[in-house]
Amino acid sequence: MAFSDYYSGLQHVGIPSSSLENSEAFWTKLGFKKTGDFPAGNVIFLQRENLVIETWSGDEVVGKPGAINHLSMDTTDADAAFEAAKSEGFTLIDSEVQHLPFWDNGIKFFNVQGPDGVIVEFCEIVK
């Protein structure tokens, strides 16, 4: 399969924050609801319909215009997608699939470098 066959669309947008409380209040006022809270990573997820925002504190680009850290694409097989991206010559930021203890069974993900420094993450929420 081609790399582009391994994802279905946007999973979330990663936006760094100087204050998770202020970010949560702002996005909640816009109609978002908190769907995930991960104190160990200082990360929260907020959702409104099909748009999910991941926000966290402690990033150097906080407060700068356009401070979006990454776009995350939804995949059901991060390992296979990683191998396809590697074989198709994409510029991989990660040397292997990464893991974090988010959600019930964790996540698997890797990042690809796009033009102009854009980071595209491919993320699997493990079932």
Side-chain angles (χ1 to χ4, degrees), residues 8 17 26 41 50 62 85 118:
S8 60
S17 172
F26 173 80
N50 65 341
V62 169
V118 171

Side-chain angles (χ1 to χ4, degrees), residues 4 7-8 10-11 17 23 27 39 44 47 56 61 66 68 85 96 103 107 112:
S4 60
Y7 64 91
S8 60
L10 185 67
Q11 185 183 89
S17 172
S23 291
W27 292 107
I44 60 174
Q47 182 171 1
W56 66 94
V61 299
I68 292 176
E96 60 186 17
W103 310 113
I107 64 169
V112 170

Side-chain angles (χ1 to χ4, degrees), residues 3-42:
F3 178 43
S4 60
D5 295 328
Y6 285 102
Y7 64 91
S8 60
L10 185 67
Q11 185 183 89
H12 66 263
V13 177
I15 304 174
S17 172
S18 61
S19 165
L20 289 180
E21 294 80 19
N22 289 346
S23 291
E24 182 177 353
F26 173 80
W27 292 107
T28 299
K29 191 172 181 179
L30 285 176
F32 285 72
K33 292 185 181 180
K34 184 163 54 173
T35 58
D37 191 342
F38 304 98
N42 234 5

